[in-house]
Amino acid sequence: MSFSTFNLHPDIMAGVTASGYVTPTPIQLQSIPPIMQGRDLIGLAQTGTGKTAAFVLPILHRLRQSQRGRVSALIISPTRELAEQICDTVAALGKHTGLKSVAIYGGVGMDQQLRALRGGVDIVVACPGRLLDHLWQGTLSLSNLEVLVIDEADRMFDMGFLPDIRNILKCILHPRQTLLFSATMPADIRKLVAEVLQDPVTVQIGQTLPATTVSHKLYPVGRHLKTTLLKEILRKTTTGSVLVFTRTKHSAERVAEQLKRAGHRAASLQGNLSQYQRQAALDGFRDGSYKVLVATDVAARGIDILDISHVINYDMPDSTDAYIHRIGRTGRVGKAGEAFTFVTKEDASMINSLERLLNAPLQRCKLDDFDYEKDALPDEGRRPPRRFSRAPASGRRRSGFRQTAGTR
Ligand code: AMP
């Protein structure tokens, strides 16, 4: 099966070819035809399946015939990084269409976004908070919107964005095509779907399981030895780019610092960074200047880097969904990847849940010559100074807290 079966306009096929796509992925095969017919669609798919192109290609095809310079398609995304990535995909696939797109998110000045909007754009990729700012200030109008995409709906719900999404929907009262993508379908998202989508087609791709190209290993270890173990694993394992997940932004910062001190090319990606620092960390990871990126869940949401060989859960994620999302950063589009998870005594019930999910016992590993009985080193397992300790420990954003995603 090739992309020619979709009958996409030659200008768009040129973008497909230039992006190096040869064979459509399963989500593309199943979603592109109904989207091109104008149907609403629910895409149950995680990142790494090619879902972005699954909605971007039919949008580009449709918008070729629309009046230019007014917002005809809106893609809502939970984080700035994901918004930028989607915008990059739109630019790459739509290179020969002349359609203009812009990413809209908070944490940066309004000026550049205002200039782009005033100049006329066809496709807006936006995080909910800043999008609402523009809508309320009248600097962006959705009155000509033809296609609405709600991407990573479950994660937006997790981050407390559902009220914002509902407010955005109130600004689009006319009929339009609506596409909603989500890795899972919690009850609130099902309710939203029932209210907002008209007779949708549902497409489901490997909804609850990580890619089969990823192998999973558990490393039981005392909490105070996690960083020492991480350093040892990095020293002894042949890796490409490595993405390490911690539960809090403070540990992301601390672990990255400790890795740097041990001579690793490492950076952190977490909410204490400015937008510039976050972009520099991501760019450096993407171009290989940093080999290890230590991130929190929210900061790493939707990171699209194909060559991540290892995902290391320094801290166990707080749900099986979060595990799937993290692991989705490796083993992407058919590549092999490894997922290592450091586990302590407190993680027993999550291990059970993961084994149930994967329907197999997870391999427990011990590193040879590693002293598992060692006492803590001065900088190991150290808690952040008291003045920081009130920061929320989980990556969850409270409902109603309306600022653009990705501050963690
Ligand atoms: P996504 O799930 O949209 O985040 O896509 C994951 C990665 O797969 C991105 O780097 C895409 O550029 C890439 N990709 C998407 N579709 C294809 C395809 N048909 N063939 C090869 N790579 C693809």
Side-chain angles (χ1 to χ4, degrees):
M1 193 65 93
S2 84
F3 278 93
S4 59
T5 53
F6 300 130
N7 288 323
L8 291 161
H9 189 273
D11 287 348
I12 298 166
M13 281 305 291
V16 169
T17 309
S19 298
Y21 302 173
V22 178
T23 314
T25 65
I27 185 93
Q28 291 162 1
L29 274 177
Q30 293 186 43
S31 309
I32 292 176
I35 301 176
M36 283 178 74
Q37 285 162 19
R39 297 285 304 270
D40 282 5
L41 178 131
I42 305 166
L44 288 166
Q46 59 205 65
T47 46
T49 54
K51 72 179 164 65
T52 313
F55 60 77
V56 167
L57 289 171
I59 289 177
L60 293 170
H61 186 81
R62 175 177 179 152
L63 264 46
R64 277 177 28 260
Q65 281 143 351
S66 304
Q67 192 182 319
R68 297 294 167 107
R70 55 190 208 181
V71 180
S72 300
L74 169 66
I75 300 156
I76 309 179
S77 129
T79 67
R80 330 172 194 195
E81 283 77 17
L82 187 58
E84 284 285 3
Q85 277 170 202
I86 296 172
C87 229
D88 289 347
T89 304
V90 171
L93 294 173
K95 195 173 169 198
H96 303 282
T97 62
L99 290 161
K100 287 192 188 163
S101 58
V102 66
I104 299 273
Y105 46 77
V108 294
M110 292 282 253
D111 286 357
Q112 216 179 337
Q113 297 170 6
L114 286 173
R115 265 199 303 279
L117 290 170
R118 277 195 211 113
V121 289
D122 308 287
I123 302 171
V124 168
V125 187
C127 295
R130 178 58 67 89
L131 175 62
L132 275 175
D133 292 340
H134 281 286
L135 289 172
W136 286 335
Q137 288 174 24
T139 44
L140 194 161
S141 160
L142 298 178
S143 54
N144 294 301
L145 195 76
E146 295 180 36
V147 190
L148 168 69
V149 181
I150 303 175
D151 196 19
E152 311 234 332
D154 51 350
R155 185 54 53 156
M156 287 208 259
F157 165 66
D158 277 354
M159 294 163 76
F161 279 145
L162 220 50
D164 283 356
I165 303 286
R166 290 189 180 284
N167 282 328
I168 294 164
L169 289 167
K170 285 181 200 154
C171 301
I172 321 164
L173 299 172
H174 61 280
R176 80 274 155 177
Q177 184 178 23
T178 307
L179 316 171
L180 180 139
F181 289 83
S182 198
T184 57
M185 266 289 150
D188 291 76
I189 300 295
R190 266 202 299 274
K191 191 157 164 270
L192 184 75
V193 162
E195 287 166 24
V196 174
L197 278 76
Q198 306 285 328
D199 186 25
V201 178
T202 302
V203 168
Q204 183 167 344
I205 304 294
Q207 181 209 354
T208 50
L209 288 178
T212 47
T213 45
V214 179
S215 67
H216 308 260
K217 289 178 180 159
L218 301 181
Y219 283 86
V221 64
R223 181 186 297 275
H224 67 285
L225 289 176
K226 282 184 176 184
T227 309
T228 316
L229 181 66
L230 177 61
K231 286 188 223 163
E232 273 306 287
I233 287 180
L234 291 175
R235 200 172 64 80
K236 289 186 168 166
T237 316
T238 308
T239 66
S241 296
V242 181
L243 184 56
V244 178
F245 281 98
T246 63
R247 191 166 292 139
T248 69
K249 41 189 180 181
H250 297 297
S251 17
E253 220 173 350
R254 177 173 50 82
V255 171
E257 274 311 312
Q258 288 169 341
L259 291 181
K260 271 192 252 174
R261 264 185 261 142
H264 293 281
R265 285 184 280 130
S268 74
L269 186 71
Q270 34 77 23
N272 285 344
L273 302 180
S274 67
Q275 176 62 18
Y276 175 79
Q277 290 170 316
R278 294 157 65 95
Q279 203 55 54
L282 266 180
D283 290 346
F285 191 49
R286 210 172 259 130
D287 69 23
S289 333
Y290 298 123
K291 206 165 168 220
V292 187
L293 189 70
V294 189
T296 58
D297 285 290
V298 172
R301 185 73 191 142
I303 287 181
D304 176 23
I305 294 169
L306 273 183
D307 285 326
I308 296 175
S309 67
H310 290 73
V311 168
I312 301 182
N313 294 313
Y314 182 93
D315 295 312
M316 178 66 107
D318 53 12
S319 68
T320 49
D321 280 353
Y323 184 86
I324 293 169
H325 282 302
R326 287 182 180 186
I327 298 318
R329 311 300 107 174
T330 185
R332 298 190 120 194
V333 191
K335 294 203 172 192
E338 287 200 274
F340 297 166
T341 304
F342 293 177
V343 292
T344 62
K345 287 194 204 79
E346 293 85 58
D347 297 322
S349 78
M350 261 307 294
I351 296 175
N352 283 340
S353 307
L354 281 179
E355 292 184 325
R356 268 202 310 278
L357 171 81
L358 299 167
N359 202 20
L362 286 170
Q363 187 187 350
R364 269 76 168 166
C365 299
K366 272 199 135 183
L367 210 60
D368 289 340
D369 306 324
F370 185 79
D371 181 3
Y372 282 89
E373 304 303 320
K374 196 160 70 174
D375 289 335
L377 287 172
D379 67 346
E380 289 290 348
R382 201 176 58 190
R383 292 196 176 281
R386 192 125 190 92
R387 66 179 181 282
F388 292 136
S389 61
R390 274 200 224 128
S394 82
R396 295 289 143 95
R397 182 179 291 278
R398 301 282 165 265
S399 293
F401 182 82
R402 199 184 59 69
Q403 202 214 343
T404 306
T407 52
R408 290 185 57 81

